[in-house]
Amino acid sequence: MTASQALTRLQAHEMAARLRAGEVSSTELLEAHLASIAATDTAIHAWLAVDEELARVAANAADKRLVRARADGAEALAALPSMLGIPVGLKDLVIARGRQATAGSRILEGFTSPYDAHSVERLDAVGAVIVGKTNMDEFAMGSSTEHSGYGPTANPWDLSRVPGGSSGGSAAAVAAYHVPVAIGTDTGGSIRQPASLTGTVGIKPTYGRVSRYGIIAFASSLDQVGPLGRDVRDAALLLGAVAGYDERDSTSAPLEVPDFAGALPADDDKAAAALRGVRLGLPRQYFVEGMEPGVEARVREAVVALEDAGAEIIEVDMPHTDYGLATYYIVAPAEASANLARYDGIRFGHAVRDGDVLANYKSTRDQGFGPEVKRRLMLGTYALSAGYRDAYYIKAQKVRTLIKGDFDAAFEGVDALVAPVSPTVAFPLGERLDDPVAMYLVDACTLPVSVAGLPGLSVPAGLSDGLPVGLQLIGKAWDEARLLQLGRAYEAVTATARWRTLEPADLGRAADQATGAPTLGI
Ligand code: GLN
């Protein structure tokens, strides 16, 4: 491994320490990561835009601040912002001034954002270096990143398989050492599921924890921004950066943000102690039909490891789990049908001008939206139409309350829930593309959590057939700090597991392909 590659293997919190110590510069870190992208992204296609020059300007500014602080002494160093000089990827659903914002859709091709999302303002405030925009399913609708209007992303563990979605670009970029951390969004599983399928850590915060200002809207009552990283401490660092009240999002919660990263011990013994006496609920209904035996085995082994470390495991019933999918696929498309009405060929991006106003509108949307988005808009419009609204939309909202009730009841007896993230490992590209329901089913274990607005963390829990399996920890509202503590504890008790030492198996192959023609484009 070259010195440049070795830099990309550091965790963000290690980078932060080295930057302060003057052992590495932000520019060196950035160049190492840009080289990593250049080496493997032809094959992986995690990025829709790499903004090299903007990133170089930010890295250079960070280096100047670091030099000055080192000259001024320990106090000045301690006062530096948490992510100063650290490269970060941004899902292309999050808008940033002067950068493209496509939401993975052709309908927004060529659109440049005039302002920053709240999350981007926060990233700037903590000194992070935004490397570019990552690939995603169009408007975050999907579980494989195959619904991107710009071609799919491949999984660094096996290039013939999906990285999950919709934040598949961010997950693959983190897994492939293109960036140590990246921002994703999760409406029904889009951070947790790709984290699970790429062996990375991802957290969907409680609804309202992170502002939705500047997030291109999919389903507004479900959308949340969250971090992906290669360990729990890095996910905590990035979550801490973007969380917090913002008056421009009326659903943003006016709550204190705990020091998520600061609360996590570096020492494994100390970290593991968080498990002693903690009550973890294991929901029977989350071991869904069709779950791969290898996935179930890894999750059950993880539960045993948690128990051995002192957690009390209590089986719980969540009787409405099964309705999560049906509820979500009424509520989310309904909200999407309203949110996506604004793409009319007049205000944003792609525009067709071949007739009168109505003809232009129809042609723009017909050409600009892909098949999955059209499917959702049809479904959502139908569910909201006169005569059907009560039967579908209102009914779904009532079932949503029942699902939330399952969680409320479970949390009376337990501190957190432990469950699978995805019933399968990463599946082959193309396998589920023509079967929307098969695609929807991969989110069976993440959707209920989103519908209830609760936080969920996905942490790697080993491999099945050489592919990553994730473990989901689900918390009470606003209990992200505890979830991160439990996730960190699980890392600690499995610190010596052999699978933790393995790198994504197809990184070498991805590098070999960089010189050839792109092999994706199915
Ligand atoms: N896969 C789910 C969907 O297609 C969830 C996507 C998301 O969380 N953005 O809607």
Side-chain angles (χ1 to χ4, degrees):
M1 189 177 298
T2 64
S4 162
Q5 281 170 332
L7 287 179
T8 65
R9 267 57 178 177
L10 297 173
Q11 312 289 23
H13 58 83
E14 295 168 330
M15 293 178 195
R18 292 203 190 188
L19 285 165
R20 281 159 182 69
E23 292 165 10
V24 71
S25 70
S26 173
T27 300
E28 283 166 336
L29 283 178
L30 174 65
E31 295 304 331
H33 287 91
L34 291 176
S36 172
I37 294 171
T40 57
D41 204 48
T42 308
I44 296 172
H45 190 43
W47 299 86
L48 293 180
V50 179
D51 301 321
E52 295 189 15
E53 288 321 311
L54 285 173
R56 287 193 173 108
V57 169
N60 190 32
D63 282 333
K64 290 205 170 108
R65 288 178 75 179
L66 283 156
V67 168
R68 223 178 304 132
R70 268 198 305 280
D72 290 351
E75 218 167 283
L77 277 172
L80 288 174
S82 59
M83 296 191 68
L84 184 64
I86 294 174
V88 178
L90 202 58
K91 183 177 183 177
D92 208 8
L93 197 68
V94 181
I95 68 172
R97 190 176 39 227
R99 297 179 199 250
Q100 74 165 46
T102 68
S105 180
R106 289 281 175 188
I107 211 161
L108 280 170
E109 194 166 8
F111 177 68
T112 301
S113 168
Y115 67 96
D116 280 334
H118 179 255
S119 306
V120 171
E121 292 173 355
R122 288 298 184 87
L123 288 174
D124 283 344
V126 296
V129 173
I130 297 172
V131 173
K133 305 301 282 296
T134 58
N135 199 11
M136 55 178 289
D137 287 298
E138 187 176 1
F139 287 103
M141 297 174 189
S143 310
S144 68
T145 315
E146 292 168 289
H147 291 310
S148 167
Y150 302 91
T153 296
N155 192 318
W157 287 86
D158 178 342
L159 295 177
S160 70
R161 290 173 188 262
V162 304
S166 64
S167 311
S170 286
V174 169
Y177 306 99
H178 294 171
V179 276
V181 286
I183 290 287
T185 68
D186 191 313
T187 301
S190 280
I191 291 174
R192 291 161 286 162
Q193 187 258 10
S196 174
L197 270 45
T198 58
T200 54
V201 175
I203 184 165
K204 181 204 94 84
T206 312
Y207 181 78
R209 179 62 97 180
V210 184
S211 169
R212 289 179 295 106
Y213 180 77
I215 309 307
I216 296 175
F218 162 16
S220 307
S221 76
L222 296 154
D223 298 341
Q224 266 300 290
V225 173
L228 289 125
R230 288 189 298 268
D231 74 4
V232 172
R233 292 168 71 192
D234 280 4
L237 186 67
L238 186 53
L239 177 61
V242 296
Y245 178 66
D246 171 26
E247 62 180 12
R248 295 163 301 184
D249 170 4
S250 60
T251 59
S252 158
L255 289 177
E256 258 323 279
V257 178
D259 180 3
F260 296 122
L264 299 177
D267 178 76
D268 281 340
D269 288 337
K270 276 201 196 118
L275 287 167
R276 256 172 251 147
V278 75
R279 295 164 308 163
L280 297 178
L282 186 65
R284 283 188 193 92
Q285 287 80 358
Y286 276 61
F287 293 89
V288 295
E289 211 186 298
M291 176 163 290
E292 289 173 357
V295 170
E296 175 160 356
R298 288 305 86 77
V299 172
R300 298 224 182 253
E301 285 160 18
V303 171
V304 170
L306 294 167
E307 194 169 21
D308 286 348
E312 185 187 348
I313 307 293
I314 302 160
E315 286 213 15
V316 295
D317 270 310
M318 312 217 33
H320 299 96
T321 302
D322 238 11
Y323 300 107
L325 193 133
T327 304
Y328 174 89
Y329 278 99
I330 296 293
V331 173
E335 294 181 13
S337 71
N339 277 328
L340 272 61
R342 73 191 67 172
Y343 304 108
D344 52 9
I346 293 166
R347 287 173 286 186
F348 311 97
H350 181 77
V352 182
R353 303 255 189 275
D354 61 2
D356 60 18
V357 171
L358 193 59
N360 291 346
Y361 183 73
K362 282 182 176 166
S363 310
T364 298
R365 289 170 69 87
D366 184 40
Q367 291 177 17
F369 288 139
E372 183 60 28
V373 171
K374 287 178 184 160
R375 197 175 291 131
R376 306 271 180 120
L377 297 184
M378 298 284 287
L379 200 62
T381 307
Y382 181 79
L384 289 178
S385 57
Y388 296 102
R389 187 173 165 273
D390 289 357
Y392 294 107
Y393 184 70
I394 302 295
K395 179 67 85 42
Q397 293 292 15
K398 288 180 179 164
V399 181
R400 192 170 183 178
T401 304
L402 294 176
I403 293 171
K404 174 76 168 57
D406 277 3
F407 285 102
D408 292 343
F411 284 130
E412 279 179 21
V414 300
D415 302 308
L417 297 166
V418 54
V421 180
S422 160
T424 72
V425 293
F427 44 91
L429 283 153
E431 186 185 79
R432 290 169 195 244
L433 211 43
D434 298 325
D435 187 347
V437 176
M439 187 75 89
Y440 299 168
L441 278 167
V442 304
D443 293 319
C445 302
T446 53
L447 293 171
V449 184
S450 297
V451 164
L454 299 175
L457 170 70
S458 175
V459 286
L463 305 175
S464 167
D465 296 329
L467 294 165
V469 174
L471 177 74
Q472 188 174 203
L473 290 157
I474 303 162
K476 300 174 191 174
W478 318 115
D479 217 6
E480 292 87 354
R482 188 201 301 260
L483 286 188
L484 292 162
Q485 224 170 44
L486 294 173
R488 172 73 194 103
Y490 176 70
E491 272 178 356
V493 299
T494 54
T496 56
R498 203 185 89 80
W499 54 266
R500 288 216 176 267
T501 63
L502 301 176
E503 294 211 341
D506 258 359
L507 274 183
R509 224 180 109 214
D512 292 342
Q513 286 179 14
T515 44
T519 51
L520 295 173
I522 51 167

